[in-house]
Amino acid sequence: MKEKLLIAGPCSLEGPELAHTTITKAQEQQIPIVRMNLWKPRTKPGFEGIGEAGIPLLIDAAQAGLGVGLEIMTPEQAQLILDEVLGVVPHAHILLWIGSRNQNHILQRDIGRVAAGNDTVQVMVKNQPWRDQNHWEGAAEHVISGGLSSEQVVMCHRGFTPWDKSDSPMRNIPDLEMAERVRERTGLQMILDPSHIGGAVHLVKELALEFGQLDWVDGQIIEVHPDPKNALTDAQQQLTWDELKELQGTIS
Ligand code: PEP
Ligand code: MN
C-alpha cells in the first residue's frame, strides 16, 4: 500500500512551550507536517487562539525543516502567513486550510489567489458541516478558480454534523463513500480527519487504524497534545505523542 501522509499537532497552539514540544516530537517521530493553528473559531466564545503573535513559532517549525499547517479564515491571514514565513524560509511547505465553518465562496477564491504561484504552498478544503457533496466540491472549485494548480489543493473529510446526536457516539459522521467519490471526481488528494470525526480518544484510534487500511486515502490529520486533558481546545479527542507513535507503523 502507498505511504500515507501524516499531519499531527495540537488542536490549537497555546504558546511557545507547546510549539517547541510539537516541533521536537514531530522531528523524533518523523511527522512531515505539523498542525500549528493560530486562529481557532469556536462554537461558543472562548479561547480563540494566540493569533499572529504565534507567527515566530511557525517560522521555528519551518526552520526545523517541517511543513506547517494551520487554518485561515481570510485572504489577509493567508497573505500574512506567507509573507512572514516565506520571508524567512523561502521554500517552506505551508498547508493553509479552510475550516468547515468557513463557507464564504468569495473569500475561498481570494485565499486561492493569495496562494497561487507559490509551489510550496497548498490549500486544504475541509468539508462543510452539512452533508452535501456538491457544496464541498464547489468550495474546492472556488479555491482553484483563484489560480491554484491541482497539486496545490487537498481535500479533507472531517465528517458531517449528526442531525440527532443520540444516533452515534461520533462527533461527526463520516461518509467515506462520498469522500472516495469526491477524490475520484476531483482528482485531488484526500486526507481524513479521525480527530474531528471521532471526538473521543478511543474512537480516534479506531478510526485512524481503519482509515489507514483504505487504499484511496492519501493521509490523515490527527490532533496530538503532550497533556490532552489540560488542552485549551478539544481536550477529549487529542492523542498523546506516545499514542500516536503506537499507531504510526500501521497508519502511515
Ligand atoms: C480544525 O481542524 O482545527 C477544525 C476546527 O476542524 P473543523 O473545521 O473540521 O471543525
Ligand atoms: Mn480541534
Side-chain angles (χ1 to χ4, degrees), residues 35 37 40 71 97 99-101 126 158 193 196 223:
R35 267 187 73 105
N37 251 354
K40 196 69 217 133
E71 177 167 352
W97 72 77
S100 62
R101 296 166 176 83
K126 299 193 86 172
R158 46 78 80 201
D193 177 348
H196 292 92
E223 290 186 342

Side-chain angles (χ1 to χ4, degrees), residues 157-170:
H157 187 42
R158 46 78 80 201
F160 296 111
T161 307
W163 183 254
D164 178 352
K165 297 243 185 223
S166 64
D167 278 353
S168 163
M170 282 189 261

Side-chain angles (χ1 to χ4, degrees), residues 3-217:
E3 197 175 315
K4 296 193 195 306
L5 177 66
L6 204 47
I7 305 165
C11 176
S12 43
L13 216 50
E14 298 164 9
E17 202 182 309
L18 182 56
H20 293 125
T21 311
T22 304
I23 293 169
T24 309
K25 291 290 184 186
Q27 286 179 310
E28 276 173 24
Q29 296 182 207
Q30 296 182 358
I31 304 289
I33 306 180
V34 282
R35 267 187 73 105
M36 284 209 162
N37 251 354
L38 299 183
W39 295 284
K40 196 69 217 133
R42 304 297 299 278
T43 306
K44 301 262 175 79
F47 172 71
E48 286 172 3
I50 59 175
E52 56 181 271
I55 290 175
L57 305 170
L58 307 186
I59 295 173
D60 289 346
Q63 283 180 319
L66 296 166
V68 180
L70 74 158
E71 177 167 352
I72 39 95
M73 277 118 256
T74 64
E76 289 75 20
Q77 287 173 334
Q79 190 70 61
L80 180 67
I81 297 298
L82 298 197
D83 287 348
E84 298 288 325
V85 179
L86 297 179
V88 181
V89 187
H91 299 293
H93 181 188
I94 302 178
L95 178 73
L96 302 172
W97 72 77
I98 296 179
S100 62
R101 296 166 176 83
N102 300 314
Q103 297 303 321
N104 181 312
H105 306 304
I106 305 296
L107 296 185
Q108 289 166 352
R109 172 166 316 145
D110 287 346
I111 289 167
R113 285 195 176 127
V114 168
N118 293 290
D119 288 351
T120 60
V121 177
Q122 291 180 303
V123 176
M124 183 164 83
V125 181
K126 299 193 86 172
N127 65 265
Q128 72 288 342
W130 61 97
R131 188 161 174 251
D132 180 344
Q133 179 175 336
N134 200 38
H135 186 100
W136 186 18
E137 289 175 356
E141 286 169 32
H142 282 294
V143 170
I144 290 170
S145 72
L148 293 185
S149 68
S150 52
E151 288 74 39
Q152 283 180 277
V153 183
V154 180
M155 302 300 266
C156 176
H157 187 42
R158 46 78 80 201
F160 296 111
T161 307
W163 183 254
D164 178 352
K165 297 243 185 223
S166 64
D167 278 353
S168 163
M170 282 189 261
R171 179 173 177 185
N172 291 293
I173 311 292
D175 184 338
L176 297 177
E177 285 170 17
M178 185 195 293
E180 187 175 4
R181 268 196 315 274
V182 168
R183 183 185 186 281
E184 192 67 33
R185 280 164 54 90
T186 61
L188 300 170
Q189 287 188 70
M190 179 64 69
I191 303 290
L192 300 187
D193 177 348
S195 300
H196 292 92
I197 293 174
V201 169
H202 70 287
L203 293 173
V204 175
K205 289 182 185 174
E206 276 173 30
L207 289 164
L209 289 170
E210 179 192 330
F211 296 165
Q213 300 308 308
L214 302 173
D215 266 336
W216 54 271
V217 170

